[in-house]
Amino acid sequence: MISSISKANAQQRAGRAGRTGPGKCYRLFTEKAYQSEMTEFIYPEMLRSNMGSVILNMKKLGIDDLIHFDFVDPPSPEVLMRALGKFSQKKIFRPEYEMIFQKF
């Protein structure tokens, strides 16, 4: 699996090499890629994840006011509203479908 990392991730991994014993850090990207293609930091998981599963888990925990919930790294309002809209279209959050959450 290939996944991109940020400059901060690369520096942290290089710092771990040799920490507990002899070690080396091999970087499999060019200096040009490091300077021009890599972001400074990676976005928080909350901003990268599928909000559908997050919303279902929050509902399962009894958190009903998802719009005003105090997230540590809040998703953008557009992402949250899009996810809520998908559930609304499927009529998942309507009272007659409340038993859906009781199955989890």
Side-chain angles (χ1 to χ4, degrees), residues 5-23:
I5 62 171
S6 67
K7 291 178 183 178
N9 291 134
Q11 291 168 353
Q12 181 183 31
R13 291 175 186 179
R16 289 183 180 158
R19 183 175 291 168
T20 59

Side-chain angles (χ1 to χ4, degrees), residues 37-94:
E37 297 173 17
M38 295 173 79
T39 60
E40 290 295 324
F41 299 96
I42 199 157
Y43 291 108
E45 182 69 24
M46 178 61 78
L47 302 178
R48 294 182 283 130
S49 67
N50 178 353
M51 287 302 297
S53 62
V54 173
I55 289 172
L56 286 175
N57 281 321
M58 290 175 72
K59 292 292 277 183
K60 184 172 79 172
L61 293 170
I63 301 169
D64 292 320
D65 189 4
L66 301 171
I67 303 295
H68 298 104
F69 184 77
D70 189 21
F71 291 99
V72 174
D73 288 314
S76 70
E78 296 84 18
V79 169
L80 187 58
M81 294 308 291
R82 193 176 325 122
L84 287 170
K86 287 181 183 179
F87 289 119
S88 177
Q89 287 174 344
K90 295 177 183 179
K91 301 178 182 178
I92 291 176
F93 290 159
R94 295 179 69 179

